[in-house]
Amino acid sequence: MNYTQTLDYLYSKLPMFTRVGVSAFKKDLHNTIAMCEKLGNPQTKFKSLHVGGTNGKGSTSHMLAAVFQKAGYKTGLYTSPHLKDFRERIRINGEMVSEDFVTSFVDEQKKIIEEISPSFFEVTVAMAFSYFAKEEVDIAIIEVGLGGRLDSTNIITPELSVITNISLDHTNILGNTYAEIAAEKAGIIKPSVPVVIGEKDPKTDQIFINKAILAHSEITFADQELSLTKSVIENEFLNVSIAENKQPVFEDLKLDLNGTYQLKNILTVIKSIQILRSRGYKIDDEAIYSALKAVKQLTGLQGRWQTLGKSPLIICDTGHNIAGITEVIQNINNTTFQNLHIVIGMVKDKDISGVLQLLPDRASYYFCQPQLERALSANELAAEALKYDLKGEVFNTVSQALTQAKANAGKEDLIFIGGSTFVVAEVL
């Protein structure tokens, strides 16, 4: 098979969560373990960091990868889902895995794929681990796909486990309460491996503490040890200063990821780096400053409060649950514009009403649907939105919705595109 045929095979043959939802989620690690055993357990042949949480785990993973790159480490990065190109999921020093490796891996593993019928995600995890082992990376940043305890990535023993935060998402799989979801996310805490929790929360703290005690793992809450003493947008950078015990640690860090939610993620990143330094990793301040100023360039991250055009200002963001949309609204409120246009689509298994009730009614809406089976129809979305006095037009595709928004918008207006990672993916 050539590369295009290989992707067609993966997409058509294997259950894919992003496309069909919960039916593709495998509730054990059996297939991943079986595939990796056939491959000689590549996950044991490189060092790793494991990053989970409800929101912010992608940005945190990319920031950590950028810092390691700048510090001179050959750095693997595994994230999901991809936005434009399947190969975005697997990178080394920012470079996507080659088409040839993807093709040869699937060709060589076709027999076991046919035998055990793994999910799309299980195959891509095994592919990433094989690639990182083959290329002999110094460190790989591994982002959890969904949950933690039963996620396919959870066969690694990392140098550090990181859990950004907990909010309600994927409740049909992970549980309906903060405590249930936290218990799943805490599943990445490994024996004697330190863990950083990004945000302290009385609803979930004890679950993490108890798991860490059982695992004999040192636990740190980043936002309890570090604090922001400055945060301001300057020349499209988020300029922050960080203190520890009221003493300056970093002054005037400039982040090219400038959404306000990065104020939480940066504390998680810095605390993680401090712990890794104490464990022997050579990461100087210069590497941190230069990396955080160029994360998008170094790692290829897209879709986080990303500017796509000016006059009118066009911004997209992949936030898609209550916590994520809350941050999006805060960013919109911090932006200067005349009129607001919102291009929005969602998938069926999200808290639709919970998200819609957060959105401003003083906006023109362009309801659409991404092209996948999980998509909520634009008509259904518009009907639900009307309950919250959100009014607008309905479009069959994301591109049609954006075209109309551009036609309607004045030069001083803001067009925001979001509601789903897949809406952003189609725009990009």
Side-chain angles (χ1 to χ4, degrees):
M1 296 185 291
N2 62 27
Y3 178 68
T4 303
Q5 291 167 331
T6 299
L7 284 192
D8 287 344
Y9 171 80
L10 289 176
Y11 290 142
S12 62
K13 172 73 178 173
L14 307 179
M16 188 176 176
F17 180 83
T18 53
R19 190 178 66 233
V20 300
V22 66
S23 63
F25 182 67
K26 302 295 182 72
K27 293 188 176 180
D28 61 60
L29 300 175
H30 174 80
N31 286 348
T32 308
I33 292 168
M35 279 203 76
C36 285
E37 281 179 349
K38 292 274 187 181
L39 294 163
N41 287 316
Q43 75 280 6
T44 64
K45 296 173 183 173
F46 56 87
K47 292 181 177 179
S48 61
L49 309 180
H50 207 184
V51 183
T54 302
N55 292 301
K57 60 183 182 289
S59 296
T60 298
S61 296
H62 280 264
M63 283 192 271
L64 286 168
V67 169
F68 270 96
Q69 280 174 237
K70 278 293 187 180
Y73 291 88
K74 187 175 184 180
T75 307
L77 176 62
Y78 176 77
T79 58
S80 62
H82 63 272
L83 291 175
K84 295 169 70 175
D85 186 326
F86 167 80
R87 296 178 303 137
E88 293 168 31
R89 293 169 179 254
I90 305 169
R91 298 176 185 266
I92 295 177
N93 285 358
E95 293 294 318
M96 294 188 292
V97 62
S98 68
E99 293 184 359
D100 286 345
F101 183 86
V102 175
T103 301
S104 61
F105 178 87
V106 173
D107 189 50
E108 289 165 11
Q109 304 310 317
K110 205 170 177 186
K111 185 179 178 185
I112 189 169
I113 290 172
E114 301 285 349
E115 275 177 18
I116 69 174
S117 298
S119 70
F120 177 90
F121 189 76
E122 288 167 335
V123 171
T124 59
V125 167
M127 184 188 298
F129 291 171
S130 294
Y131 187 59
F132 296 151
K134 173 179 175 285
E135 294 296 321
E136 298 181 336
V137 298
D138 298 318
I139 190 86
I141 310 337
I142 309 295
E143 181 196 13
V144 171
L146 198 159
R149 182 174 65 94
L150 300 175
D151 187 76
S152 300
T153 62
N154 201 29
I155 64 168
I156 59 174
T157 301
E159 301 286 285
L160 177 71
S161 303
V162 180
I163 301 171
T164 55
N165 57 43
I166 301 298
S167 59
L168 298 178
D169 198 9
H170 298 296
T171 51
N172 55 331
I173 297 172
L174 303 180
N176 292 308
T177 68
Y178 284 87
E180 288 173 328
I181 293 172
E184 291 297 318
K185 306 280 185 188
I188 70 169
I189 298 174
K190 298 292 196 308
S192 302
V193 174
V195 56
V196 172
I197 311 297
E199 298 174 43
K200 193 168 174 63
D201 186 330
K203 296 190 291 294
T204 56
D205 289 347
Q206 203 57 48
I207 287 160
F208 293 130
I209 292 166
N210 290 346
K211 181 64 191 282
I213 290 169
L214 282 172
H216 302 287
S217 299
E218 174 193 340
I219 185 168
T220 306
F221 291 87
D223 65 350
Q224 299 303 294
E225 301 211 358
L226 300 177
S227 60
L228 290 163
T229 57
K230 173 185 175 181
S231 64
V232 61
I233 299 284
E234 292 177 348
N235 301 321
E236 297 192 13
F237 289 99
L238 182 57
N239 188 328
V240 302
S241 295
I242 298 171
E244 185 171 21
N245 299 321
K246 298 185 179 178
Q247 297 300 311
V249 180
F250 288 96
E251 296 279 0
D252 294 314
L253 276 175
K254 293 181 175 62
L255 315 186
D256 69 334
L257 305 183
N258 60 8
T260 56
Y261 44 80
Q262 305 300 353
L263 296 173
K264 299 176 180 178
N265 295 333
I266 190 58
L267 298 183
T268 309
V269 169
I270 295 300
K271 178 44 68 176
S272 297
I273 291 167
Q274 287 180 329
I275 289 172
L276 291 162
R277 278 172 159 178
S278 73
R279 294 173 72 85
Y281 284 90
K282 306 297 183 189
I283 303 169
D284 61 28
D285 285 2
E286 185 183 341
I288 295 168
Y289 275 93
S290 58
L292 295 176
K293 197 174 181 178
V295 173
K296 290 184 278 192
Q297 176 191 331
L298 290 166
T299 70
L301 180 63
Q302 295 189 83
R304 274 46 169 209
W305 198 250
Q306 181 176 348
T307 300
L308 302 179
K310 295 182 177 179
S311 191
L313 182 59
I314 304 173
I315 292 176
C316 68
D317 192 278
T318 54
H320 54 265
N321 52 34
I322 289 175
I325 294 296
T326 299
E327 298 289 351
V328 163
I329 297 304
Q330 188 174 335
N331 279 294
I332 288 174
N333 291 340
N334 290 340
T335 304
T336 302
F337 56 84
Q338 197 159 17
N339 298 299
L340 177 60
H341 306 260
I342 295 182
V343 175
I344 186 169
M346 297 187 71
V347 292
K348 297 172 186 172
D349 50 12
K350 296 297 177 184
D351 183 355
I352 311 296
S353 59
V355 166
L356 291 174
Q357 64 187 353
L358 297 173
L359 297 175
D361 54 14
R362 289 186 180 181
S364 300
Y365 283 85
Y366 305 78
F367 301 104
C368 56
Q369 59 198 64
Q371 302 304 298
L372 73 161
E373 293 170 47
R374 283 171 68 205
L376 181 70
S377 83
N379 282 314
E380 285 182 65
L381 181 58
E384 187 68 23
L386 202 55
K387 297 176 185 176
Y388 303 96
D389 207 27
L390 309 180
K391 298 167 185 173
E393 302 176 67
V394 173
F395 300 88
N396 290 326
T397 68
V398 175
S399 62
Q400 288 173 357
L402 179 56
T403 297
Q404 190 59 54
K406 286 178 178 178
N408 292 351
K411 288 186 176 182
E412 303 301 316
D413 290 358
L414 168 63
I415 299 174
F416 174 76
I417 306 155
S420 166
T421 300
F422 309 106
V423 169
V424 172
E426 289 187 25
V427 165
L428 293 173

